[in-house]
Amino acid sequence: MAISLEEIVRNVNDLPTMSSIAVQVIRLTEDPYSTVKQLDEAICRDQAMAAKVLRLSNSAYYGYSRHIATIVEAIGVLGFSTIRDLVVAASVNNVLNREVQGYQMARGEIWRHSITCAMTARAIAQRVRFPAADRAFIAGLMHDIGKVILNIYMVDSYGEIIERVRREQRPFSAVEEDVLGFTHATVGGMVADKWNLPTDQVEAIACHHTPLDARESPQLTAIIHLADVVCMAMGIGLGGDALHYSFAGETLALFGLNELDMELIMAELAELMGDINMLN
Ligand SMILES: [Fe+2]
Ligand SMILES: [Fe+2]
């Protein structure tokens, strides 16, 4: 069942955008003259958002033993850029916290996969000294968001795709493109573009299964691909996407990494996974 581009665009337009608070927080954290008070006021305009940010701030991932009780305290302890990541995560959570039946992912699974991938992408970015680890976090968080759009078509086509993946021994995303006319990666890039993400993040999302196609940001794209591979190796919420996953080993070489480095990253993350479900 091939889908028309107009249908995809219509569905992308129907998807809720990043909340206006998240957009404002991104702007404030990029402005060196912003104050803690301004950031606090922006976040606290939405109490549900503030509560999610506090819950994330208190997750084991950040490793603080003392309880963070207020947004001002969270900003002081975690810093502007981490707070921005948490606000974006809380905003994206509203879109990703659903069942994506077409991809055989139960409610919560795509969120768990996405937030794990975001954290992994940031860890890899820091390890390879990529200058914009925050961009890696946000691209990792949104890399599979196209699944939310394609989900409705997948409900009918999943069986056929899986059958062909097994028969033809080809990656899931390649057969997805053959059957639907689009991959969740391409559609995810369209969502990211609609949400006004910078072009390097749009490309990283659109090319996360084909990182060697990236032209503008091969490094960021490689980081998202590797983070996805780590999540797959850890068995975190992939659904059908993991079948015959085509791992581009060249992305490791781009950073002078080897498989042992990947295992170390996995070991680092494994301890922190217990907390990932907290937003569900
Ligand atoms: Fe994917
Ligand atoms: Fe993924």
Side-chain angles (χ1 to χ4, degrees):
M1 179 179 59
I3 316 154
S4 70
L5 184 61
E6 295 78 62
E7 253 178 290
I8 295 286
V9 170
R10 200 175 51 235
N11 288 323
V12 167
N13 285 335
D14 283 348
L15 201 66
T17 47
M18 182 124 42
S19 79
S20 59
I21 289 177
V23 172
Q24 200 198 345
V25 164
I26 290 174
R27 205 173 40 74
L28 282 172
T29 52
E30 278 167 4
D31 177 355
Y33 297 106
S34 299
T35 62
V36 170
K37 186 165 178 283
Q38 283 175 310
L39 196 54
D40 174 52
E41 280 170 1
I43 297 169
C44 292
R45 271 200 289 128
D46 178 342
Q47 282 305 309
M49 165 78 82
K52 278 184 179 180
V53 169
L54 272 185
R55 257 187 288 164
L56 274 174
S57 300
N58 283 302
S59 73
Y61 181 71
Y62 294 102
Y64 295 100
S65 49
R66 82 190 162 101
H67 184 71
I68 297 174
T70 66
I71 294 293
V72 169
E73 211 184 319
I75 298 167
V77 172
L78 302 175
F80 269 37
S81 64
T82 300
I83 288 295
R84 176 194 45 214
D85 285 356
L86 298 187
V87 168
V88 173
S91 175
V92 175
N93 173 257
N94 292 336
V95 176
L96 288 179
N97 192 12
R98 56 179 85 189
E99 183 187 13
V100 194
Q101 195 198 352
Y103 287 87
Q104 309 270 295
M105 298 175 98
R107 184 157 189 266
E109 219 179 334
I110 189 164
W111 165 253
R112 203 164 78 93
H113 175 68
S114 304
I115 188 78
T116 309
C117 191
M119 289 173 169
T120 310
R122 180 165 50 198
I124 295 173
Q126 283 163 346
R127 182 174 285 258
V128 302
R129 302 198 195 302
F130 180 69
D134 297 320
R135 292 190 167 219
F137 180 90
I138 291 174
L141 190 64
M142 289 187 59
H143 77 286
D144 272 339
I145 204 163
K147 287 180 179 174
V148 172
I149 301 283
L150 289 182
N151 178 46
I152 30 173
Y153 309 101
M154 267 301 200
V155 173
D156 290 335
S157 303
Y158 190 83
E160 181 192 346
I161 292 177
I162 293 298
E163 221 280 301
R164 280 182 57 177
V165 165
R166 297 223 164 93
R167 186 160 29 91
E168 298 167 16
Q169 307 267 301
R170 291 169 61 218
F172 180 91
S173 58
V175 180
E176 181 186 28
E177 176 147 37
D178 279 4
V179 173
L180 297 184
F182 294 90
T183 70
H184 65 276
T186 316
V187 175
M190 292 166 77
V191 176
D193 193 36
K194 191 206 161 200
W195 286 23
N196 292 321
L197 259 55
T199 49
D200 57 343
Q201 285 167 311
V202 172
E203 183 177 65
I205 293 166
C207 296
H208 75 269
H209 286 285
T210 50
L212 305 182
D213 291 346
R215 290 293 162 266
E216 189 179 327
S217 54
Q219 291 203 325
L220 182 61
T221 310
I223 289 169
I224 304 307
H225 178 69
L226 290 171
D228 203 24
V229 170
V230 167
C231 291
M232 181 180 61
M234 293 170 74
I236 296 171
L238 285 141
D241 208 2
L243 291 171
H244 283 281
Y245 195 102
S246 159
F247 171 43
E250 294 90 332
T251 50
L252 277 179
L254 193 63
F255 301 113
L257 292 173
N258 56 37
E259 306 215 343
L260 183 68
D261 293 308
M262 295 297 276
E263 279 171 31
L264 288 173
I265 291 169
M266 264 185 250
E268 240 174 62
L269 283 156
E271 299 169 16
L272 307 165
M273 290 303 110
D275 251 11
I276 294 295
N277 281 323
M278 71 185 58
L279 283 183
N280 293 325

